[in-house]
Amino acid sequence: MRILVLNGSPKKKSDTFRLTEAFLRGMNKKHTQEVRVVNVIEKNVAPCRGCFRCWEREDGHCVIEDDQNEILDLYRRAELAIWSFPLYCYAMPSHLKAVLDRTIPLIRMKMVREADGRVRHEPLADFSRLRTLVVCGCGFPDWAGNFQGLRAMCKACFRSPDMVCVPETPLMNVPAAATVAEPLLARFERAGEEYAGTLTLSPETVAALETPMIPAEEYIRHVNGL
Ligand SMILES: Cc1cc2nc3c(=O)[nH]c(=O)nc-3n(C[C@H](O)[C@H](O)[C@H](O)COP(=O)(O)O)c2cc1C
C-alpha cells in the first residue's frame, strides 16, 4: 500500500510520531508497505491566498510555487494518508493546516450533496480509494472537551476518517514513564497490524489506544512537579 505520512509535529523527537512509527511497524509486519514520510515543518508551504486560480485551471496544482505541489502529487498517488500531529489550541498546528487548506486544487468549484447529507465540492480526481488515518497527541490528560473541535473538522474534511486521539502524549518522551509508554507503543504496533489486514480500526482498538496512560490526577501532579 502506498502510504503518505504527513508529520505535523515541529519537533525532532515528536511524542505523536513515536506512536505513528509504532503503527507503521505493525503495518509493515506481514507485507512491506511503500511509506513516504513528509516532515511538514521542513517544507516551504505558504498559507492559501484564496485566489481560486486552482479552480480556474483545474490541473490539480496551486499557483504558488512552493513545496505544496510536490505534496499534492504524493497525496494524489497515496492509498492511505496518515495525518500525524500534536493538538495545538484544540486544532492542528498552523503549518499543517496550511497543507490541508492548500489541498483545494484537488477539488473543483462544483458542489454536490453527498450520501451523508453534506454538501461538498466535487473531487478533481477519484479519491474513493484513499483512506485517511488521523493520529493526534496532546498534553492534557482529559479526552472530553479537548478533541471535539478537531474531530468535527476531520470528520468533515476527510469524510469520516479513522481517528486516534491520545491524551498525555508528553509521557512518550519521559524516560521514567517507559513502563506506561512502552505498552501503548505495543498497542499501536498491534493496531497497525490490524489496520493492514482490515483497513480500518475497530472501536475496541481505538478505545485501547485512546485510554490515558495514567490517571488524570496523577498526571497533573507530575506535570506540576508535586
Ligand atoms: C502551541 C501549542 C499549543 C498546544 N495546545 C494544546 C491543546 O490545545 N491541548 C492539549 O491537550 N495540548 C496542547 N499542546 C501540547 C501538545 O499537544 C503536546 O505537548 C504534544 O505531546 C506534543 O506532541 P509532539 O511531540 O508530537 O509535537 C500544545 C502545545 C503547543 C506547543
Side-chain angles (χ1 to χ4, degrees):
M1 184 186 280
R2 275 190 304 278
I3 304 174
L4 171 64
V5 184
L6 294 166
N7 172 21
S9 173
K11 291 157 56 184
K12 282 266 180 277
K13 278 180 74 178
S14 160
D15 308 322
T16 316
F17 198 64
R18 277 200 80 191
L19 300 171
T20 303
E21 275 179 324
F23 186 88
L24 290 168
R25 264 198 309 281
M27 279 204 79
N28 274 309
K29 245 184 189 159
K30 281 213 179 84
H31 303 286
T32 307
Q33 316 286 348
E34 191 185 321
V35 181
R36 175 73 183 261
V37 178
V38 174
N39 296 318
V40 173
I41 198 68
E42 293 166 6
K43 298 289 174 188
N44 174 26
V45 179
C48 177
R49 290 181 192 155
C51 66
F52 293 113
R53 291 274 306 284
C54 53
W55 285 3
E56 289 163 24
R57 303 190 326 174
E58 289 197 354
D59 65 355
H61 285 119
C62 178
V63 288
I64 305 174
E65 287 179 7
D66 60 14
D67 294 334
Q68 179 67 5
N69 282 332
E70 181 199 337
I71 295 176
L72 289 175
D73 290 341
L74 292 170
Y75 195 82
R76 231 188 343 251
R77 288 187 62 245
E79 292 161 297
L80 169 62
I82 301 182
W83 297 73
S84 171
F85 58 90
L87 193 68
Y88 273 14
C89 300
Y90 305 98
M92 58 169 65
S94 53
H95 49 276
L96 186 64
K97 181 62 164 46
V99 169
L100 177 60
D101 291 347
R102 286 185 54 204
T103 56
I104 70 158
L106 301 178
I107 53 178
R108 45 168 67 97
M109 185 157 74
K110 184 181 172 191
M111 294 181 190
V112 284
R113 191 176 295 281
E114 295 193 339
D116 62 1
R118 197 181 274 275
V119 178
R120 291 193 178 86
H121 293 286
E122 193 173 76
L124 203 62
D126 178 16
F127 287 104
S128 57
R129 274 165 23 101
L130 174 67
R131 293 172 187 280
T132 303
L133 169 68
V134 174
V135 180
C136 179
C138 86
F140 283 140
D142 290 332
W143 206 100
N146 212 19
F147 289 114
Q148 271 82 347
L150 176 81
R151 287 185 76 86
M153 188 269 269
C154 290
K155 197 171 167 206
C157 285
F158 302 130
R159 298 159 196 251
S160 302
D162 283 292
M163 238 184 132
V164 184
C165 298
V166 186
E168 303 178 348
T169 43
L171 292 177
M172 300 314 300
N173 277 308
V174 175
T179 48
V180 291
E182 293 297 333
L184 181 60
L185 288 169
R187 288 200 290 281
F188 263 85
E189 193 169 325
R190 279 198 301 278
E193 257 184 288
E194 173 188 325
Y195 191 93
T198 60
L199 296 180
T200 188
L201 293 174
S202 70
E204 295 74 26
T205 298
V206 173
L209 301 179
E210 293 185 338
T211 302
M213 284 169 270
I214 60 176
E217 298 313 317
E218 189 185 336
Y219 179 82
I220 294 165
R221 270 200 309 279
H222 281 298
V223 170
N224 294 346
L226 300 173

